[in-house]
Coordinates of all heavy atoms in Angstrom, one line a residue:
V1 N -2.2 -44.4 10.1 CA -1.4 -43.2 10.1 C -2.4 -42.0 10.3 O -3.6 -42.1 10.0 CB -0.5 -43.0 8.9 CG1 0.5 -44.1 8.8 CG2 -1.4 -43.0 7.6
F2 N -1.8 -40.9 10.7 CA -2.5 -39.7 11.0 C -1.6 -38.5 11.1 O -0.4 -38.6 11.4 CB -3.3 -39.8 12.3 CG -2.4 -40.4 13.4 CD1 -1.7 -39.6 14.3 CD2 -2.4 -41.8 13.6 CE1 -0.9 -40.1 15.3 CE2 -1.6 -42.3 14.6 CZ -0.8 -41.5 15.5
V3 N -2.1 -37.3 10.7 CA -1.3 -36.1 10.9 C -1.3 -35.7 12.4 O -0.3 -35.2 12.9 CB -1.9 -34.9 10.0 CG1 -1.2 -33.6 10.3 CG2 -1.8 -35.3 8.5
D4 N -2.4 -35.8 13.0 CA -2.5 -35.6 14.5 C -3.6 -36.5 15.1 O -4.4 -37.0 14.3 CB -2.8 -34.1 14.8 CG -4.1 -33.6 14.3 OD1 -4.6 -34.2 13.3 OD2 -4.7 -32.7 15.0
N5 N -3.5 -36.7 16.4 CA -4.6 -37.4 17.0 C -5.0 -36.6 18.3 O -4.5 -35.6 18.6 CB -4.2 -38.9 17.3 CG -3.3 -39.0 18.5 OD1 -2.7 -38.0 19.0 ND2 -3.1 -40.2 19.0
H6 N -6.0 -37.1 19.0 CA -6.6 -36.4 20.2 C -5.5 -36.2 21.3 O -5.6 -35.2 22.0 CB -7.8 -37.1 20.7 CG -7.5 -38.4 21.4 ND1 -7.2 -39.6 20.8 CD2 -7.3 -38.7 22.8 CE1 -7.0 -40.5 21.7 NE2 -7.0 -40.0 22.9
D7 N -4.5 -37.1 21.4 CA -3.5 -36.9 22.4 C -2.4 -35.9 21.9 O -2.2 -34.9 22.6 CB -2.8 -38.3 22.6 CG -3.4 -39.1 23.7 OD1 -3.7 -38.5 24.7 OD2 -3.5 -40.3 23.6
N8 N -1.8 -36.2 20.8 CA -0.6 -35.4 20.4 C -1.0 -34.0 20.0 O -0.1 -33.1 19.9 CB 0.3 -36.1 19.5 CG -0.2 -36.3 18.1 OD1 -1.2 -35.7 17.7 ND2 0.5 -37.1 17.3
Q9 N -2.2 -33.7 19.6 CA -2.6 -32.3 19.3 C -2.6 -31.4 20.6 O -2.6 -30.2 20.5 CB -3.9 -32.2 18.6 CG -5.1 -32.5 19.4 CD -6.4 -32.3 18.6 OE1 -7.5 -32.1 19.3 NE2 -6.4 -32.2 17.3
R10 N -2.6 -32.1 21.7 CA -2.5 -31.4 23.0 C -1.1 -31.5 23.7 O -1.0 -31.1 24.8 CB -3.6 -32.0 24.0 CG -5.0 -31.7 23.6 CD -6.0 -32.6 24.3 NE -7.3 -32.1 24.1 CZ -8.0 -32.2 23.0 NH1 -7.5 -32.9 22.0 NH2 -9.2 -31.7 22.8
G11 N -0.2 -32.1 23.0 CA 1.1 -32.3 23.6 C 1.2 -33.5 24.4 O 2.2 -33.8 25.1
H12 N 0.2 -34.4 24.5 CA 0.2 -35.6 25.2 C 0.6 -36.8 24.3 O 0.6 -36.6 23.1 CB -1.2 -36.0 25.8 CG -1.7 -35.0 26.8 ND1 -1.9 -35.4 28.1 CD2 -2.1 -33.7 26.7 CE1 -2.4 -34.3 28.8 NE2 -2.5 -33.3 27.9
G13 N 1.1 -37.9 24.8 CA 1.2 -39.1 24.1 C 2.0 -39.0 22.8 O 1.5 -39.0 21.7
A14 N 3.3 -38.7 22.9 CA 4.2 -38.5 21.8 C 3.9 -37.2 21.1 O 4.2 -37.0 19.9 CB 4.2 -39.7 20.8
G15 N 3.3 -36.3 21.8 CA 3.1 -35.0 21.3 C 4.4 -34.2 21.3 O 5.2 -34.2 22.3
G16 N 4.6 -33.5 20.2 CA 5.8 -32.6 20.2 C 5.4 -31.3 19.4 O 4.4 -31.3 18.8
A17 N 6.3 -30.3 19.5 CA 5.9 -29.0 18.9 C 5.8 -29.2 17.4 O 5.1 -28.3 16.8 CB 7.0 -28.0 19.2
S18 N 6.4 -30.2 16.8 CA 6.3 -30.3 15.3 C 4.9 -30.8 14.9 O 4.5 -30.6 13.7 CB 7.3 -31.3 14.8 OG 7.0 -32.7 15.1
V19 N 4.1 -31.4 15.7 CA 2.8 -32.0 15.3 C 1.9 -30.9 14.8 O 1.6 -29.9 15.5 CB 2.1 -32.7 16.5 CG1 0.7 -33.2 16.1 CG2 3.0 -33.9 16.9
L20 N 1.4 -31.1 13.6 CA 0.5 -30.1 13.0 C -1.0 -30.4 13.4 O -1.4 -31.5 13.5 CB 0.6 -30.1 11.5 CG 1.9 -29.5 10.9 CD1 2.1 -30.0 9.4 CD2 1.8 -28.0 11.0
T21 N -1.7 -29.3 13.7 CA -3.1 -29.4 14.1 C -3.9 -28.3 13.4 O -3.4 -27.5 12.7 CB -3.2 -29.2 15.6 OG1 -3.0 -27.8 15.9 CG2 -2.2 -30.1 16.4
F22 N -5.2 -28.3 13.7 CA -6.1 -27.3 13.1 C -5.7 -25.8 13.5 O -6.1 -24.9 12.9 CB -7.5 -27.5 13.6 CG -7.8 -27.3 15.0 CD1 -8.1 -26.1 15.6 CD2 -7.7 -28.4 15.9 CE1 -8.4 -25.9 16.9 CE2 -8.0 -28.3 17.3 CZ -8.3 -27.0 17.8
W23 N -4.9 -25.7 14.6 CA -4.4 -24.4 15.0 C -3.5 -23.8 13.9 O -3.3 -22.6 13.8 CB -3.7 -24.4 16.3 CG -4.5 -24.8 17.5 CD1 -4.4 -26.0 18.2 CD2 -5.6 -24.1 18.2 NE1 -5.4 -26.1 19.2 CE2 -6.1 -24.9 19.2 CE3 -6.2 -22.8 17.9 CZ2 -7.1 -24.5 20.1 CZ3 -7.2 -22.4 18.8 CH2 -7.7 -23.2 19.8
D24 N -2.8 -24.7 13.1 CA -1.9 -24.3 12.0 C -2.6 -24.6 10.7 O -2.1 -25.5 10.0 CB -0.6 -25.0 12.1 CG 0.0 -24.9 13.5 OD1 0.5 -23.8 13.8 OD2 0.1 -25.9 14.2
A25 N -3.8 -24.0 10.4 CA -4.7 -24.5 9.4 C -4.0 -24.6 8.0 O -4.2 -25.6 7.3 CB -5.9 -23.7 9.3
R26 N -3.3 -23.7 7.6 CA -2.7 -23.7 6.3 C -1.7 -24.8 6.1 O -1.8 -25.6 5.1 CB -2.0 -22.3 6.0 CG -1.5 -22.1 4.5 CD -1.1 -20.7 4.4 NE -0.7 -20.3 3.0 CZ 0.5 -20.4 2.5 NH1 1.5 -20.8 3.2 NH2 0.7 -20.1 1.2
L27 N -0.8 -25.0 7.0 CA 0.2 -26.1 6.9 C -0.5 -27.4 7.1 O -0.2 -28.5 6.5 CB 1.3 -25.9 8.0 CG 2.2 -24.7 7.8 CD1 3.2 -24.6 8.9 CD2 2.9 -24.7 6.4
Y28 N -1.5 -27.4 8.0 CA -2.3 -28.7 8.3 C -2.9 -29.2 7.1 O -2.9 -30.4 6.8 CB -3.3 -28.4 9.4 CG -4.0 -29.6 9.9 CD1 -3.4 -30.5 10.8 CD2 -5.4 -29.8 9.6 CE1 -4.1 -31.6 11.3 CE2 -6.0 -30.9 10.1 CZ -5.4 -31.8 10.9 OH -6.1 -32.9 11.4
K29 N -3.6 -28.4 6.3 CA -4.3 -28.8 5.1 C -3.3 -29.4 4.1 O -3.6 -30.4 3.4 CB -5.1 -27.7 4.5 CG -6.4 -27.4 5.3 CD -7.2 -26.3 4.7 CE -6.6 -24.9 4.9 NZ -7.5 -23.8 4.4
M30 N -2.1 -28.8 4.0 CA -1.1 -29.3 3.1 C -0.6 -30.7 3.5 O -0.5 -31.6 2.7 CB 0.2 -28.4 3.1 CG 0.3 -27.5 1.9 SD 1.9 -26.8 1.7 CE 1.8 -25.5 3.0
A31 N -0.4 -30.9 4.8 CA 0.0 -32.2 5.4 C -1.1 -33.2 5.2 O -0.8 -34.4 4.8 CB 0.3 -32.0 6.9
M32 N -2.3 -32.8 5.4 CA -3.5 -33.8 5.1 C -3.6 -34.1 3.7 O -3.8 -35.3 3.3 CB -4.8 -33.1 5.6 CG -4.9 -33.0 7.1 SD -5.0 -34.6 8.0 CE -6.5 -35.2 7.3
G33 N -3.4 -33.1 2.8 CA -3.4 -33.4 1.4 C -2.3 -34.4 1.0 O -2.6 -35.4 0.2
F34 N -1.1 -34.3 1.5 CA 0.0 -35.2 1.2 C -0.4 -36.6 1.8 O -0.3 -37.6 1.0 CB 1.3 -34.7 1.9 CG 2.4 -35.7 1.7 CD1 3.2 -35.7 0.5 CD2 2.7 -36.7 2.7 CE1 4.2 -36.6 0.3 CE2 3.7 -37.6 2.5 CZ 4.5 -37.5 1.3
M35 N -0.8 -36.7 3.0 CA -1.1 -38.0 3.6 C -2.2 -38.7 2.8 O -2.1 -39.9 2.5 CB -1.6 -37.8 5.1 CG -2.0 -39.1 5.7 SD -2.7 -39.0 7.4 CE -4.4 -38.5 7.0
L36 N -3.3 -38.0 2.4 CA -4.4 -38.7 1.8 C -4.1 -39.0 0.3 O -4.7 -39.9 -0.3 CB -5.6 -37.8 1.9 CG -6.2 -37.7 3.3 CD1 -7.2 -36.6 3.4 CD2 -6.8 -39.0 3.7
A37 N -3.1 -38.3 -0.3 CA -2.7 -38.7 -1.6 C -1.7 -39.8 -1.7 O -1.6 -40.6 -2.6 CB -2.1 -37.5 -2.3
H38 N -0.9 -40.0 -0.6 CA 0.2 -41.0 -0.6 C -0.4 -42.4 -0.2 O -1.3 -42.5 0.7 CB 1.2 -40.5 0.5 CG 2.5 -41.2 0.3 ND1 2.8 -42.5 0.9 CD2 3.7 -40.9 -0.3 CE1 4.0 -42.8 0.6 NE2 4.6 -41.9 -0.1

């Protein structure tokens, strides 16, 4: 599992507007915190 990957952070390969990336740093860190704790 991953919050984003090299494809979908660019809108490629199952990329969608919902995918969080470093461009959305505040929300991204929250999502990463959740993933790594779960």
Side-chain angles (χ1 to χ4, degrees):
V1 299
F2 44 92
V3 173
D4 64 330
N5 77 348
H6 71 279
D7 268 320
N8 69 10
Q9 70 173 198
R10 292 167 168 75
H12 295 248
S18 72
V19 173
L20 286 164
T21 71
F22 67 88
W23 298 109
D24 308 290
R26 189 171 185 266
L27 296 179
Y28 186 74
K29 286 181 283 185
M30 258 194 286
M32 289 294 296
F34 176 85
M35 177 183 80
L36 292 165
H38 197 279

